Amino acid sequence: MTSPGSAPGAPQPQGPCGFIILDKPAGLTSHDCVARIRRRYRLKRVGHGGTLDPAVTGVLPLALGSATRLLPYLNGAKAYRGVIQLGLRTDSDDLGGRVLERRSLPPLSLHALETALNAFRGPILQRPPQVSAVHVQGERAYARARRGELSDLKEREVTIERLELLSWDAGQGLLELEVRCGAGTYIRSLARDLGDALGCGGALAKLRRTEALGFDLSAAVSLEDLEAEPPPPPLAPLRALGQYPALMLEPADLVGWRCGRRLAGPPDLHEGQVVVVLKPDGNLAGMARAVAEGWLQPRLVLEATG
């Protein structure tokens, strides 16, 4: 249905569309943050890019309005700074869980630590924590864990692109790391497995996410910023799509694009390539995928008509 006074087939008015990058404080769930954004911007359609545990702080990208449809296209790599407590194991692989075992720390030189870390760089197999959102027989693993049930969680391949030792406190058994990793990587599992490799056990003590979905802390706002008047304007969707080639529509092509018609693409695209499609004014029109014979097939059309 068109809005009063609008022409039939005209693009409908859009609410806020873009990203708020929240510097999430400890104590809030990702769902809590989505609820706050919905209230603040008076929107129902809000999604987050990558769940953060309540104790974890840092970058939480929140998509507003039509930008929620862009989440599958964003870079899944994430970066963290974390502290691992060596010398114990817990049932959640962090210090929030029940302690299962304590062990004395062996003498650990920086060389020994670097040697152990090297085994976790690149593609590795990793088993998710018992307290995780992995589905097991139609149920989240964390729900089973809360009932005291152990889940048979299979190892899966993840990629740790960068793993750097920042500091080592031998007296306290605290190891600080910087990690850049692909989607699906659990830093709690890294803490557990590194502790096992060192023969003393390990659990995640503190974690801060510094990058997610192509956004870093330089783009983040605090809860205090969020409550200011006026609230922070959402970041333009194009901020998150720089990894894709772009095609700007000619004015004559805009109506056809909004109706979902395919269009001719640049000759150098390979089949399956994702392309950002821009309106003649340079703003985002949507996303397309290259198909056979040089055509671009619309996959996501903003301000669709018809």
Side-chain angles (χ1 to χ4, degrees), residues 244-257:
Y244 297 118
L247 173 71
M248 183 174 288
L249 295 171
E250 297 295 334
D253 295 328
L254 186 56
V255 171
W257 167 261

Side-chain angles (χ1 to χ4, degrees), residues 82-163:
V83 176
I84 296 173
Q85 175 67 68
L86 297 179
L88 58 81
R89 294 174 55 247
T90 75
D91 61 357
S92 62
D93 300 324
D94 63 14
L95 295 189
R98 178 172 57 89
V99 175
L100 301 176
E101 182 182 19
R102 294 186 183 273
R103 291 186 183 179
S104 299
L105 292 180
L108 292 171
S109 65
L110 289 177
H111 177 73
L113 291 172
E114 285 290 354
T115 300
L117 288 171
N118 195 50
F120 295 94
R121 296 181 172 115
I124 63 171
L125 290 177
Q126 186 183 77
R127 177 171 50 82
Q130 288 292 320
V131 181
S132 67
V134 174
H135 277 98
V136 180
Q137 299 177 352
E139 190 176 19
R140 300 287 190 181
Y142 62 71
R144 297 167 60 92
R146 287 169 184 163
R147 298 196 300 267
E149 301 176 18
L150 291 178
S151 300
D152 182 17
L153 301 176
K154 305 298 184 183
E155 289 185 327
R156 52 190 184 178
E157 185 172 291
V158 300
T159 300
I160 297 182
E161 301 169 10
R162 186 174 72 244
L163 181 58

Side-chain angles (χ1 to χ4, degrees), residues 50-280:
T51 301
L52 284 180
D53 292 339
V56 180
T57 67
V59 172
L60 179 64
L62 295 145
L64 279 62
S66 299
T68 56
R69 300 167 64 192
L70 294 171
L71 289 172
Y73 295 97
L74 303 191
N75 185 343
K78 300 176 176 67
Y80 301 87
R81 288 177 70 115
V83 176
I84 296 173
Q85 175 67 68
L86 297 179
L88 58 81
R89 294 174 55 247
T90 75
D91 61 357
S92 62
D93 300 324
D94 63 14
L95 295 189
R98 178 172 57 89
V99 175
L100 301 176
E101 182 182 19
R102 294 186 183 273
R103 291 186 183 179
S104 299
L105 292 180
L108 292 171
S109 65
L110 289 177
H111 177 73
L113 291 172
E114 285 290 354
T115 300
L117 288 171
N118 195 50
F120 295 94
R121 296 181 172 115
I124 63 171
L125 290 177
Q126 186 183 77
R127 177 171 50 82
Q130 288 292 320
V131 181
S132 67
V134 174
H135 277 98
V136 180
Q137 299 177 352
E139 190 176 19
R140 300 287 190 181
Y142 62 71
R144 297 167 60 92
R146 287 169 184 163
R147 298 196 300 267
E149 301 176 18
L150 291 178
S151 300
D152 182 17
L153 301 176
K154 305 298 184 183
E155 289 185 327
R156 52 190 184 178
E157 185 172 291
V158 300
T159 300
I160 297 182
E161 301 169 10
R162 186 174 72 244
L163 181 58
E164 299 295 333
L165 175 62
L166 299 179
S167 67
W168 165 234
D169 183 340
Q172 299 294 320
L174 293 173
L175 188 72
E176 185 177 13
L177 300 174
E178 183 176 64
V179 185
R180 181 177 173 82
C181 55
T185 306
Y186 284 93
I187 309 302
R188 283 181 290 144
S189 293
L190 174 63
R192 176 198 67 211
D193 295 343
L194 178 61
D196 288 346
L198 293 169
C200 58
L204 186 65
K206 184 166 61 174
L207 188 64
R208 180 164 175 77
R209 188 158 70 186
T210 58
E211 184 181 335
L213 302 188
F215 298 102
D216 60 24
L217 283 167
S218 68
V221 298
S222 67
L223 284 183
E224 291 75 17
D225 296 331
L226 198 61
E227 297 304 322
E229 289 294 348
L235 299 177
L238 285 173
R239 284 279 298 269
L241 299 171
Q243 71 269 34
Y244 297 118
L247 173 71
M248 183 174 288
L249 295 171
E250 297 295 334
D253 295 328
L254 186 56
V255 171
W257 167 261
R258 286 171 170 165
C259 291
R261 299 174 194 156
R262 66 179 186 172
L263 61 142
D268 56 344
L269 293 178
H270 61 80
E271 189 169 348
Q273 173 70 59
V274 174
V275 177
V276 175
V277 179
L278 305 175
K279 295 188 289 187

